[in-house]
Amino acid sequence: MFACVVVQTSIAGTRIVGRVTVGNKNGLIVPSTTTDQVFEPSAQLGKLGSILYECKTMAPDLFLQRGEKNFGSRSSWEETELLHLRNSLPEGVLIQRVEVRTPDSQSALARPQAVFSARAPSPSLYAWGWAQERLSALGNVICCNDHVALIHTELDRETEEIVADVLGVEAFRQTIAGNALVGSYCCMSNQGALVHPKTSIEDQDELAALLQVPVVAGTVNRGSDVLGAGMVVNDWCAFCGLDTTATELQVIESIFKLQDAQPANVASDMRNALLDQLA
């Protein structure tokens, strides 16, 4: 049986980690909203401290600025999401937070510049023009395998460089059936790619030549074209929504060569169990 590490985490306090992050075997890219500091309530704060702890992801900068004055020193803070991800990922897998610094009235910068540090800037830097990458739902605007990535046509140039460097891929600005959200309407592995059902044959052939893997149009969850939100796949296994039909499962198994990647009895048992449940 194949095995992989499962890491429970949140991004900016949310559970939709697949829609706001993108990664492969080489690295993981997270949005600028990923927290790296959170208030740790002390016993002296009692119920108030517990309330603040539950609200930590709503306004982390506000807590950081007021924490020293009202709730203790910086030693009352602990690193969370970024540190948790760093400690959980295997060695050799990079993690990068995307941030963009934009010029304002107090900044002499001539153009946006990507920040390659995974640590958050101090609160004072936000007043000098720090801003988030405009397209922060990275999983919706980037689709990749271990060798190539499709990115949103309006993704920032510096973010494109981060994608290429951290994930170790060649990035292409592309649309899927006229949709710029390539991560939502395409699902890709090293074996194949499933794209929006309205993608023309010509576009499928062009994508296949670009990605160097077979490409086919399809759906999940009984006709849904939002493939990125309905399934996740790697080179040996795929997980789909419960409404996915038997026909859709057969297309997914075929294009991603999933039966070839598993022992015959394991693949047969999994497939029969799914078909029995959907029948």
Side-chain angles (χ1 to χ4, degrees):
M1 287 290 292
F2 295 96
C4 64
V5 178
V6 177
V7 179
Q8 290 187 334
T9 187
S10 63
I11 299 296
T14 69
R15 298 181 180 181
I16 51 172
V17 294
R19 295 300 85 213
V20 295
T21 66
V22 62
N24 58 15
K25 71 174 184 179
N26 301 314
L28 175 68
I29 302 177
V30 297
S32 59
T33 52
T34 306
T35 60
D36 68 346
Q37 288 182 316
V38 63
F39 185 72
E40 181 184 10
S42 62
Q44 291 81 1
L45 291 178
K47 185 176 181 180
L48 175 60
S50 299
I51 294 174
L52 291 173
Y53 188 78
E54 292 297 326
C55 298
K56 62 184 179 292
T57 59
M58 297 177 60
D61 296 332
L62 179 63
F63 282 122
L64 182 57
Q65 293 175 24
R66 295 185 178 180
E68 296 182 4
K69 180 178 180 181
N70 298 328
F71 308 119
S73 65
R74 289 181 183 268
S75 60
S76 300
W77 293 76
E78 61 177 6
E79 294 186 339
T80 53
E81 288 176 347
L82 277 178
L83 181 61
H84 171 61
L85 289 171
R86 290 194 196 104
N87 293 337
S88 302
L89 293 176
E91 291 186 12
V93 177
L94 304 177
I95 179 171
Q96 174 67 53
R97 186 169 67 177
V98 172
E99 288 181 293
V100 175
R101 183 165 58 179
T102 57
D104 60 11
S105 58
Q106 292 179 312
S107 175
L109 292 176
R111 59 192 297 270
Q113 180 178 354
V115 180
F116 286 86
S117 172
R119 298 188 58 83
S122 63
S124 61
L125 291 180
Y126 281 99
W128 287 82
W130 286 91
Q132 302 171 7
E133 160 65 52
R134 186 174 65 86
L135 302 173
S136 59
L138 301 176
N140 287 336
V141 298
I142 302 171
C143 181
C144 73
N145 57 20
D146 294 335
H147 309 289
V148 66
L150 302 179
I151 64 174
H152 193 288
T153 55
E154 297 181 6
L155 199 69
D156 189 87
R157 289 291 180 184
E158 284 73 18
T159 304
E160 178 182 355
E161 294 177 2
I162 293 177
V163 170
D165 293 340
V166 175
L167 303 184
V169 297
E170 189 174 3
F172 299 97
R173 296 180 183 268
Q174 189 62 264
T175 60
I176 304 293
N179 298 289
L181 297 177
V182 291
S184 298
Y185 297 106
C186 176
C187 201
M188 187 194 317
S189 76
N190 294 327
Q191 304 298 325
L194 189 67
V195 295
H196 191 286
K198 293 186 178 180
T199 306
S200 65
I201 298 297
E202 293 77 11
D203 289 344
Q204 292 180 41
D205 293 339
E206 179 183 348
L207 287 171
L210 189 67
L211 304 176
Q212 294 298 301
V213 296
V215 175
V216 70
T219 59
V220 293
N221 287 327
R222 203 177 297 273
S224 173
D225 55 15
V226 188
L227 304 171
M231 65 172 293
V232 60
V233 64
N234 58 20
D235 288 342
W236 61 83
C237 187
F239 291 91
C240 305
L242 188 60
D243 291 334
T244 304
T245 66
T247 301
E248 290 171 335
L249 287 174
Q250 289 177 346
V251 172
I252 291 170
E253 286 182 343
S254 175
I255 190 61
F256 293 115
K257 300 180 175 62
L258 297 180
Q259 290 185 340
D260 298 338
Q262 301 189 44
N265 58 334
V266 175
S268 178
D269 292 343
M270 292 176 61
R271 184 174 182 275
N272 291 336
L274 285 171
L275 293 178
D276 290 341
Q277 188 175 11
L278 295 172

